[in-house]
Amino acid sequence: MTQHTNFSTRLDDLQKRVQTAKSAVQTAATESEAQLKERIDRAQSNLDQSAQNARQETSQAADSARAKWAQVKADAAAKMSDVKANMDKRTRHMDAKLAANDADWAEADAAEALDFADWAVDNAQLVILDSIHARAHADKLAKAADNS
């Protein structure tokens, strides 16, 4: 399997994950509070695991490019709010205005996360295209060296 094929497969996997996330969000809008809390617990656990993996990648990364991306992932994970803690705090709100403000902040966080995801996809596209160009150039030079 060539690296190009691997990128295509990973983009397909990413597309499936986006579709799964979209479906989960649409379903969550109709769920009971208990179901929503369970869904949030699972999502928070997945995010926590991803953050732990990113921290491990950062500490294990040998080359600068891998270390750079691992650090970006670790930094992004560190900036994510603890949704479960926010949810627990939210249930103690008795004031409608405070609850509305909390909802506004949560919606703003969601919008920022989507903006970051959008940037990450654009960035991935650029870096993948660059890697394809770099591999084509290396292959061209190797072929020229073999012919001389």
Side-chain angles (χ1 to χ4, degrees), residues 94-123:
M94 298 298 192
D95 180 88
K97 186 172 182 173
L98 284 175
N101 287 341
D102 184 54
D104 290 343
W105 280 102
E107 290 166 350
D109 282 348
E112 289 296 323
L114 287 171
D115 288 345
F116 181 78
D118 187 47
W119 171 86
V121 169
D122 287 344
N123 199 25

Side-chain angles (χ1 to χ4, degrees), residues 24-127:
V25 167
Q26 289 170 333
T27 301
T30 64
E31 291 180 327
S32 69
E33 185 174 354
Q35 290 171 313
L36 190 53
K37 284 183 178 182
E38 183 179 319
R39 186 180 294 276
I40 288 170
D41 284 345
R42 282 194 313 268
Q44 182 74 55
S45 178
N46 291 342
L47 184 61
D48 290 346
Q49 183 63 51
S50 179
Q52 182 178 344
N53 292 345
R55 286 189 297 272
Q56 278 184 320
E57 287 176 16
T58 301
S59 65
Q60 295 172 354
D63 61 49
S64 61
R66 184 168 170 84
K68 178 179 74 172
W69 288 111
Q71 187 62 52
V72 168
K73 285 170 44 180
D75 290 347
K79 290 177 184 174
M80 292 295 125
S81 62
D82 185 342
V83 174
K84 185 171 178 358
N86 288 343
M87 185 178 62
D88 292 341
K89 180 179 73 173
R90 184 174 303 130
T91 59
R92 294 190 297 269
H93 285 175
M94 298 298 192
D95 180 88
K97 186 172 182 173
L98 284 175
N101 287 341
D102 184 54
D104 290 343
W105 280 102
E107 290 166 350
D109 282 348
E112 289 296 323
L114 287 171
D115 288 345
F116 181 78
D118 187 47
W119 171 86
V121 169
D122 287 344
N123 199 25
Q125 178 184 346
L126 176 61
V127 174

